[in-house]
Structures are given as C-alpha cells and as structure tokens.
Amino acid sequence: MLTWFITGSSRGFGRHTALEALRRGDRVVATARSLAALKDLEELGGERVLTAELDVTRPEQIDRAVALAGERFGGVDVLLNNAGIGYFAAVEESEQAQVRRMMEINVHGLAAVTAAVLPGMRACRSGTVLNVSSVGGVRSFPAVGWYNASKFAVEGLSEALAQEVAPLGIRVVLIEPSGFATDWAGDSAGEVAAHAVIADYDGTAGAQRRAFREGAGREAGDPARAAVAIVDVAHDAAPPLRLPLGNFAYDGLLEKLDAVRADVASREAVSRGADRVAS
C-alpha cells in the first residue's frame, strides 16, 4: 500500500489518479485550493483519504499539508505534482502578471512542494516524485510559448533532481501528456486580453488559441486511462524518467528528437570547431 500526496486533486489528472490509487488500495492525501471540491473523495476513501487545503504558492499551506500527511499516514511514498494552469497568448501579446502567476504555480509551486516532501523520502531512502509536464515541455507550439517555458523548466528541474536523488533510493518520473479532456483548455487556462491581441499573429498564435478553446473537452486523451498508467508507473520497481501519454505525445517526443538531430547535423563541423584545439 502506497501513500500518495497529490496536488490539484479536485479535477483532471489529480482527481482521476486519486480515484485510481484508491481503487488499488492505496492511501491518498488529496489537496486542492478548495476543501469543498474534495468532499466526495473523502467520503469515498474513508480512512484511506486525508484532504488538505493547498495553494502551492503559499508556503505555510504546503508545510501544513505535508505535516498532516506525516501525522496521519507516517509519510509520503508518492508525490504527484499535478497542480498547474495554462495561458494562451503569443509571446509578444503575453501579459507579465499572467505569465508570472503561471510560473509561480507551474514551476515554483511544484519545486516548493517537492522540497517539502523530500526530507521524509530521504529519511526512508525511498519514494517516487511524479511531475506532470507535457508534450509541450519537450516541443513548443504557437500561443503557449510561456506555458511551454514553464514545462521546459519542469523538465530541466526534474532531470537534475533525478540525478541528485537516485543514490538515495528516490525515483523521478516526468508525466508528459498530450491533449486530454482535463479542462486544461477550458476554465483552467487564461488567455490574452482582447485589447492586447496583435493582428499579425492571428494566423499562428490566434489560430492555435482558437483551436485549443474549440477542442476543449473533446481531446483524444482519456484522463481515466492516463490515471491507470500513472498509478502503474508509481508501483513500478524500475520506472522510466519519462512517460509520454497519448499518441500525439509519444510521436511528438520522438519527432522532436529527430528534428533536433537533423537541425544540428548539417553544421557538425562548426559546432565541434568551437572548442580549443588540443595541443
């Protein structure tokens, strides 16, 4: 039986993973900004569920929720950093207040929760950190440049963390979904204000923004199926560093690797020629 600590448990991957973990017999610390949104999880899981109010941008709430997990269940085996938001705007259109808020949640909040949970995992010399990234953490798209930046940051942070904690018995997995019906493109995402829209980007960022909004709720990915994969990887004795979820995510990751190789190969001599000549 594993004990999960899940941020953003009120909807999306967080909620579906909490339900799947409970179905498997695990225990869940379900957190969200609103306790009312978690009431049914508490009723469903009984003694195997602890709910806690948590805004990942508020350090005092992070510390309290992690302390409650320790008091109730003795610690955390699996951390699922799921809380996050989106923002749709061309890079030039983007409003700094919106961008900074997203970065605070998607990157700094994730890092703060991880830092609060790691001492307990280090003491036990075991644990799994699951960080929800995105196919957009590997490749970029118009209209979500700053969202891409936040997820690229999660990727880099997670890769370094994986190397630091591996000798301590702790595993790190990047969850990299493509389009799923999780409300990511619905109410959870902000977008450029009408007065800030730049007509020159209508065919790129504008078209992509409209496509995201129009497809909200009809994405190919099934959150319940994703939750099964997420719980499976947490129970895996040798999990991968990356778990792309969805056909577009899997193909997109490999296409990015191929594109990078093709892009740099033609100038290999130039790249290698920048080093000092060995004497």
Side-chain angles (χ1 to χ4, degrees):
M1 180 189 295
L2 297 177
T3 297
W4 291 69
F5 188 104
I6 303 176
T7 67
S9 299
S10 61
R11 59 173 120 182
F13 292 124
R15 179 177 180 79
H16 283 280
T17 302
L19 291 170
E20 179 63 20
L22 290 172
R23 190 186 72 78
R24 305 274 189 103
D26 289 344
R27 301 180 295 198
V28 173
V29 181
T31 74
R33 288 182 295 171
S34 169
L35 280 178
L38 304 174
K39 187 172 178 57
D40 61 331
L41 282 177
E42 195 170 31
E43 293 172 350
L44 178 67
E47 291 300 311
R48 289 189 293 122
V49 171
L50 168 67
T51 60
E53 183 181 11
L54 177 57
D55 178 336
V56 299
T57 67
R58 298 183 61 179
E60 72 282 2
Q61 290 191 0
I62 295 174
D63 291 342
R64 181 175 182 277
V66 173
L68 288 173
E71 293 168 9
R72 176 74 168 270
F73 297 130
V76 173
D77 300 307
V78 183
L79 168 61
L80 175 60
N81 277 311
N82 169 70
I85 60 172
Y87 177 60
F88 303 150
V91 172
E92 187 182 348
E93 295 172 334
S94 299
E95 299 158 281
Q96 284 303 302
Q98 293 271 20
V99 168
R100 290 178 185 278
R101 176 173 177 265
M102 181 174 61
M103 288 294 187
E104 190 65 27
I105 295 169
N106 291 7
V107 182
H108 297 290
L110 175 148
V113 174
T114 302
V117 170
L118 280 176
M121 290 185 174
R122 286 192 291 105
C124 295
R125 288 299 194 262
S126 68
T128 303
V129 177
L130 307 175
N131 287 336
V132 177
S133 176
S134 167
V135 63
V138 179
R139 57 184 298 179
S140 295
F141 305 91
V144 285
W146 279 108
Y147 176 78
N148 290 142
S150 75
K151 293 303 185 180
F152 270 59
V154 169
E155 294 269 331
L157 190 76
S158 299
E159 282 191 22
L161 178 65
Q163 296 171 61
E164 293 165 356
V165 300
L168 308 177
I170 302 168
R171 300 93 58 83
V172 177
V173 180
L174 282 156
I175 308 297
E176 298 169 332
S178 44
F180 277 75
T182 61
D183 195 44
W184 174 80
D187 293 341
S188 294
E191 69 176 72
V192 58
H195 67 83
V197 171
I198 298 173
D200 282 347
Y201 297 123
D202 187 66
T204 53
Q208 183 67 77
R209 184 171 64 247
R210 290 189 292 274
F212 280 142
R213 291 301 198 190
E214 291 166 5
R218 295 184 286 107
E219 295 89 346
D222 181 344
R225 287 175 176 265
V228 172
I230 291 169
V231 175
D232 281 347
V233 83
H235 282 267
D236 196 323
L241 175 60
R242 287 183 168 80
L243 180 66
L245 294 175
N247 284 306
F248 186 80
Y250 188 89
D251 293 338
L253 190 152
L254 296 183
E255 287 169 5
K256 172 62 181 283
L257 296 176
D258 291 341
V260 170
R261 183 181 296 276
D263 188 43
V264 303
S266 64
R267 293 172 179 80
E268 180 179 1
V270 174
S271 297
R272 295 188 182 281
D275 282 351
R276 290 189 180 91
V277 177
S279 57

